[in-house]
Amino acid sequence: RSSSRPAASPKALQALQALRQPLAVLRSSFTFDHPDSGARRMSFVRHARAGDTSLVDILQPAATPQPPVVDVEAAGGTRKATSRKPSSGEFSQQAMPHFQNVLTWRRILGLALATGVLLLLLGILVKVKSNEVVQFSVQYDGKYRQPTGTSDSELFYQDCPIGNSCVFSVTVPEDMAPPIAVLYEVTPFYQNYYSYQTSVVFAQLTGDAVDESQVAKVCISKPSRETPSGDAIFPCGLVATSVFNDTIEFASEVDFSDDDPRMTWDSDYDRFQNPPDYPTQPSNASWLYERYPAVTDVARGVKSRHFVDWMFPSFFGYVRNPYGVIDSPLKKGQQLMIRINASFPVASLDAEKRFLLSTRNGLGGRHALLGFLLIFGSGVCFVLAIAVVAINKWCPRPAGKPRFRQLAHGFTSDWEPPQPGPAAASAAAAPPAAAAAASPPLDQACKEPPQPGP
């Protein structure tokens, strides 16, 4: 069929035919990674095919070579095709500003020393601040144990069995300025078990309506969602049915509050809401204040600060939550009368229960173990710095030279990078065509450097 397009010249057709030929590509990643066709030798793998990645090319489907898109007008045509040539920008041409950190021994030494000094200063700061905190604890259940960072004068033991109300006196070891935090601790008590911390219907805690199917799905254990008499437990779950309900009371001269706003975050406390028809509907519900009268009352419901703190599981293998705040000072040697009502059973857990009284500072409380870990970390950094200096002094390695022969196949321990000679200088000064002719082929240039003679 005749065409009105002008006939292309033989030279243009020949150029178009050459452009349509598949480009010469390295079809194997093994060939690309090993130009000399030799498998990379690894010191920790003794296998003939170690480092061979050609299996990836065998498993992948063979890619059909795509002819490059060319400008048809340059070949005598009239249609201009869309080019797939990347743009000339810095991002496409991989010419963005960059920085490559060269890990010299001086930089590693400086980094180790700087990190060691920083950890040492932080450790000293934590230790000093921890020593400023005055605290003492009263253990009343479980085997006697002295916690880390607690002296003998800061620990009192008085056995108080479950179901008893125990009154005893303790001596304040040091002057304590208000506010004095009162905390309770149960150890070991693993709230971080997945089945435990996920047994919570959060919609019940925020006052939203919940279907019975969702309650049965989340509160899998029947005793955690239904009482023996058949009443529905609200809120249900393992966390809400294992609330710590021991109480502590102080003498009348101590200004103590067990519902202080400083005990919880306002953002956490405001999330908890009672249902709209609380406490009348549903009529067969077992409410929180009925099961734990020492924790909350009918007016507060789930908005008890003790209950809010308990509903946030502890990350560690123990539970330590705030119980109240003392706003009156305690003097050294003062006899403090305490009444403890024990109701929380821990005998089956072989756990311990104690109340702690502690002052506060910028770090919160006493963190003796944290200070020790920071100082220990600084010591490790200083040891690494000494090791870097020792290696550089007795086993130096010039840049670009392998340290161990077996880790770099083809390089001998006495090999040095070749220095440019007269031939290289003349090749650099020669015209581009002459320099290209003097360049060795790719397969020869990628071979191992020549071994020195005898």
Side-chain angles (χ1 to χ4, degrees):
R1 186 171 60 176
S2 61
S3 174
S4 59
R5 296 181 179 179
S9 62
K11 185 176 181 180
L13 291 176
Q14 184 178 2
L16 178 62
Q17 187 67 21
L19 289 174
R20 287 184 175 178
Q21 295 295 330
L23 295 177
V25 296
L26 294 174
R27 297 182 178 275
S28 172
S29 58
F30 175 77
T31 307
F32 178 78
D33 195 39
H34 308 80
D36 55 354
S37 300
R40 179 181 299 171
R41 181 177 299 174
M42 301 182 181
S43 60
F44 55 88
V45 179
R46 301 298 183 184
H47 195 271
R49 301 293 290 178
D52 190 352
T53 59
S54 59
L55 179 62
V56 179
D57 307 291
I58 299 175
L59 297 178
Q60 291 181 348
T64 305
Q66 298 291 337
V69 178
V70 297
D71 192 347
V72 182
E73 288 185 348
T78 58
R79 181 175 58 86
K80 186 175 182 179
T82 303
S83 175
R84 290 196 296 266
K85 179 181 179 181
S87 63
S88 58
E90 293 182 350
F91 180 79
S92 299
Q93 300 300 324
Q94 300 183 11
M96 297 288 291
H98 63 282
F99 172 78
Q100 183 176 1
N101 184 24
V102 181
L103 294 178
T104 62
W105 73 272
R106 288 185 176 86
R107 291 187 178 181
I108 297 177
L109 176 62
L111 182 62
L113 291 176
T115 305
V117 171
L118 178 61
L119 293 178
L120 180 61
L121 295 178
L122 290 177
I124 295 176
L125 176 63
V126 172
K127 291 287 290 184
V128 171
K129 285 298 190 180
S130 295
N131 293 335
E132 294 177 356
V133 174
V134 179
Q135 72 173 26
F136 66 92
S137 61
V138 179
Q139 181 179 342
Y140 59 97
D141 201 348
K143 185 182 299 184
Y144 176 83
R145 183 182 62 87
Q146 185 172 347
T148 304
T150 303
S151 61
D152 294 335
S153 61
E154 297 176 337
L155 179 60
F156 301 92
Y157 182 84
Q158 179 70 37
D159 186 30
C160 187
I162 296 297
N164 292 346
S165 180
C166 307
V167 180
F168 48 91
S169 175
V170 296
T171 304
V172 179
E174 297 290 341
D175 293 340
M176 303 180 70
I180 303 172
V182 180
L183 306 97
Y184 66 88
E185 179 181 307
V186 182
T187 178
F189 195 92
Y190 299 95
Q191 283 189 317
N192 51 11
Y193 271 71
Y194 180 79
S195 58
Y196 181 88
Q197 64 181 0
T198 57
S199 182
V200 179
V201 180
F202 292 100
Q204 290 182 336
L205 303 178
T206 56
D208 300 329
V210 183
D211 296 334
E212 294 183 2
S213 58
Q214 182 181 359
V215 172
K217 182 179 180 180
V218 177
C219 302
I220 301 175
S221 177
K222 187 176 180 179
S224 68
R225 69 174 187 271
E226 186 177 311
T227 63
S229 60
D231 294 337
I233 296 177
F234 188 96
C236 72
L238 296 176
V239 184
T241 55
S242 60
V243 182
F244 180 84
N245 57 347
D246 288 0
T247 62
I248 183 172
E249 302 172 7
F250 296 92
S252 58
E253 65 269 13
V254 177
D255 185 9
F256 172 69
S257 173
D258 61 352
D259 194 31
D260 195 279
R262 289 169 290 183
M263 295 168 51
T264 56
W265 293 94
D266 292 337
S267 58
D268 296 337
Y269 180 76
D270 295 338
R271 293 168 55 187
F272 285 69
Q273 300 293 333
N274 292 307
D277 298 331
Y278 170 83
T280 59
Q281 296 295 330
S283 58
N284 64 335
S286 175
W287 300 105
L288 184 66
Y289 72 90
E290 297 175 336
R291 302 192 310 275
Y292 298 102
V295 175
T296 186
D297 51 29
V298 63
R300 291 180 295 174
V302 299
K303 292 186 72 66
S304 167
R305 297 188 183 274
H306 292 170
F307 179 73
V308 171
D309 289 332
W310 183 264
M311 293 306 295
F312 289 92
S314 173
F315 176 80
F316 302 99
Y318 59 88
V319 178
R320 180 184 293 176
N321 287 334
Y323 185 85
V325 179
I326 296 177
D327 285 319
S328 57
L330 301 178
K331 300 299 182 180
K332 180 179 179 180
Q334 177 182 348
Q335 295 297 317
L336 190 63
M337 297 300 298
I338 297 177
R339 177 191 296 272
I340 294 180
N341 301 307
S343 303
F344 189 77
V346 294
S348 60
L349 305 176
D350 195 20
E352 309 158 6
K353 294 188 300 182
R354 60 175 55 92
F355 279 101
L356 294 90
L357 280 74
S358 173
T359 58
R360 293 299 190 183
N361 57 15
L363 296 180
R366 182 176 295 181
H367 302 283
L369 182 60
L370 177 60
F372 171 78
L373 291 177
L374 290 174
I375 295 176
F376 177 79
S378 67
V380 173
C381 293
F382 292 142
V383 171
L384 292 177
I386 295 175
V388 170
V389 174
I391 292 175
N392 183 72
K393 180 176 179 59
W394 287 289
C395 187
R397 178 182 66 89
K401 183 178 179 180
R403 184 182 301 278
F404 301 105
R405 180 178 181 181
Q406 63 271 22
L407 297 182
H409 173 59
F411 292 85
T412 58
S413 57
D414 56 351
W415 177 81
E416 296 290 345
Q419 302 296 330
S426 60
S439 301
L442 179 62
D443 57 347
Q444 298 181 9
C446 295
K447 287 185 177 180
E448 300 175 357
Q451 305 296 333

